[in-house]
Amino acid sequence: MVFSIGEVADAMGLSVSTLRYYDREGMFPDMERSNGGIRVFSEREIAVLRVIECLKAAGMPIKAIREFLDWCKEGDASLAKRCKLFHNRLEEVERQIERLQATRNTLRYKCWYYDTAVAAGTEDAVRNLPENRIPEEIREYRL
């Protein structure tokens, strides 16, 4: 099955210009074109695009993603490098998740704090509350 650039852009939530950029950067080296020179995306390009978007979301710059795609062309000779890359990305994403969870917990505490202050009409109502008056599930996030 083949898809137009517009169909792929819509399906992936990307702009057409982003897909053109990826193509110019050599990320779809085997992409076919119609007789009129229009890009024709196959399942192969869609699969590559999913990996590109995954690595981008994991914080990898385009230059490094292009290097990864070059390693893929090398075949089995680059398996260890590719494996290490994904393990490193996973570790980085897990660190990001931990930081985001800490941020979320602080936000939960602050939401409770300000909801309580607004309901009481004064911040004094919560500023010096004893710990046992703070909901247990957010108590440890008190600043």
Side-chain angles (χ1 to χ4, degrees):
M1 188 165 210
V2 295
F3 307 93
S4 71
I5 195 168
E7 290 171 327
V8 173
D10 287 343
M12 298 294 293
L14 299 169
S15 68
V16 169
S17 62
T18 296
L19 295 174
R20 287 184 182 129
Y21 170 73
Y22 290 166
D23 187 31
R24 281 193 310 275
E25 290 297 311
M27 295 184 165
F28 308 119
D30 300 323
M31 181 183 289
E32 295 183 21
R33 293 188 179 254
S34 70
N35 292 336
I38 296 173
R39 293 169 180 89
V40 177
F41 285 78
S42 70
E43 295 293 339
R44 181 181 55 239
E45 282 81 30
I46 303 292
V48 169
L49 189 53
R50 286 188 179 113
V51 172
I52 291 168
E53 290 303 297
C54 171
L55 292 172
K56 269 181 47 187
M60 211 167 153
I62 293 295
K63 182 178 178 182
I65 295 171
R66 189 173 43 242
E67 182 178 31
F68 163 75
L69 294 173
D70 289 342
W71 292 346
C72 292
K73 292 180 209 170
E74 295 173 11
D76 290 348
S78 67
L79 277 175
K81 289 191 284 191
R82 289 182 276 156
C83 181
K84 183 177 179 182
L85 177 141
F86 277 94
H87 280 280
N88 289 343
R89 283 292 99 200
L90 179 59
E91 288 173 14
E92 177 56 30
V93 167
E94 287 173 349
R95 283 190 295 273
Q96 290 172 0
I97 289 169
E98 287 174 15
R99 289 190 298 268
L100 283 171
Q101 286 173 333
T103 299
R104 180 188 61 196
N105 292 335
T106 299
L107 291 169
R108 283 181 175 162
Y109 173 80
K110 288 300 193 179
C111 285
W112 168 84
Y113 180 97
Y114 286 109
D115 287 344
T116 304
V118 166
T122 179
E123 198 171 355
D124 290 339
V126 289
R127 185 176 287 133
N128 298 311
L129 272 179
E131 193 166 300
N132 67 347
R133 301 268 321 272
I134 298 170
E136 188 175 342
E137 65 273 7
I138 61 169
R139 199 174 289 161
E140 69 183 281
Y141 310 119
R142 184 180 198 177
L143 299 177

